[in-house]
Amino acid sequence: MLNSFLLLAEAVLYFGVMVTLFRFRARIGLGVFVCALGVMHFLETYLASVFYVALPFGMVSPGSAVLFSGKLVMLLLLYMKEDAATVRQPIYGLLLGNALMIGLVLILRLHDISALSGSKAPDIGFIDQMGWLMVWGTSLLFVDAILIILLYEKLGRYLRDHLFARILVSVACVLSFDQAGFFTALHFVAGAPIAVFFGGWYAKMSAALAYSLMLVAYLRWFEARQIAAPRGLSDIFDALTY
């Protein structure tokens, strides 16, 4: 019960801070929101690889269930209130930044390291593992972002007047896809058991529900502009991928 409460508290804190930064984007700029979104990427990947807590339905990582699920919802919010071109910016930044990190680590391995007195030697193997997981996770995020926007727009034809259901179905479907993709890498890199997959999936479905409720409440009470009408899928796909 305590772990469940703490995960919910983490989700509320994450969502509250991120939408506050987004709400004041006209005053402080979108860059603050995007930087805050990107700086959490290392923590969510680290937690997803080593930090798990026990819940009634299995083993769950806050990095995956809370932070990554929240990031995907924030990207959907960014698309809903801005445009597809703006959504590309944090995704490309994460992907290129992680590629740069891998390149730097490959060069760092060539150094002749001099340890400080009493200090531990740097764990290059751990950095390698984290780097590849981050690149894989960001690659999945690129696909996830395209899928959630396309699905959100597609559902707009049928759920135009049901915003909560439209957001929930979009988020839940894409999180299910991402859970399968990220667990595959986590299993081979970190030896995660199958229980982690099912526990993580249940947790992400719970996160999808919680974040969808909070997002609809935020849009209704704090964003005055009307949600745009559904757009053509081909135009959106071109804008995301050109």
Side-chain angles (χ1 to χ4, degrees):
M1 182 62 70
L2 177 61
N3 284 334
S4 300
F5 175 78
L6 290 175
L7 287 172
L8 179 59
E10 291 160 7
V12 172
L13 175 62
Y14 178 90
F15 185 88
V17 171
M18 292 305 301
V19 295
T20 298
L21 296 177
F22 187 80
R23 182 70 180 88
F24 291 102
R25 62 194 182 278
R27 182 176 302 176
I28 62 178
L30 265 176
V32 178
F33 172 81
V34 171
C35 285
L37 196 65
V39 79
M40 303 300 294
H41 188 63
F42 179 85
L43 179 61
E44 72 185 44
T45 306
Y46 172 74
L47 293 177
S49 63
V50 299
F51 190 101
Y52 283 81
V53 298
L55 293 182
F57 47 77
M59 303 293 289
V60 175
S61 171
S64 180
V66 176
L67 299 183
F68 181 82
S69 300
K71 177 189 290 184
L72 195 62
V73 172
M74 290 300 105
L75 291 176
L76 179 60
L77 171 63
L78 188 60
Y79 168 74
M80 292 169 67
K81 304 307 296 182
E82 298 295 328
D83 53 39
T86 305
V87 174
R88 291 201 318 267
Q89 298 174 24
I91 300 171
Y92 287 173
L94 285 170
L95 187 61
L96 295 175
N98 288 332
L100 173 61
M101 181 182 68
I102 293 295
L104 289 173
V105 169
L106 291 175
I107 298 175
L108 287 172
R109 296 173 68 94
L110 303 176
H111 279 287
D112 184 11
I113 301 173
S114 299
L116 295 176
S117 177
S119 64
K120 296 181 179 179
D123 190 349
I124 297 297
F126 170 75
I127 297 177
D128 285 343
Q129 175 180 311
M130 286 297 300
W132 290 117
L133 281 176
M134 289 176 70
V135 170
W136 176 247
T138 310
S139 301
L140 277 175
L141 180 64
F142 178 78
V143 178
D144 291 341
I146 294 175
L147 289 178
I148 197 171
I149 291 172
L150 295 179
L151 186 56
Y152 174 81
E153 289 295 342
K154 184 70 174 179
L155 290 172
R157 300 181 180 180
Y158 311 101
L159 299 173
R160 173 63 177 164
D161 299 323
H162 301 84
L163 183 61
F164 170 71
R166 186 179 174 188
I167 294 173
L168 177 60
V169 172
S170 302
V171 174
C173 288
V174 176
L175 284 178
S176 298
F177 166 81
D178 181 84
Q179 178 66 7
F182 190 76
F183 173 79
T184 300
L186 193 62
H187 175 72
F188 287 106
V189 173
I194 192 65
V196 171
F197 170 79
F198 290 107
W201 182 79
Y202 285 124
K204 282 185 175 179
M205 295 305 97
S206 300
L209 177 62
Y211 279 126
S212 297
L213 285 169
M214 290 189 286
L215 181 56
V216 170
Y218 168 76
L219 291 171
R220 181 170 298 175
W221 295 333
F222 296 99
E223 290 286 342
R225 289 181 294 169
Q226 188 176 6
I227 302 298
R231 285 169 276 187
L233 297 185
S234 59
D235 294 340
I236 297 167
F237 189 82
D238 288 342
L240 283 168
T241 58
Y242 75 80

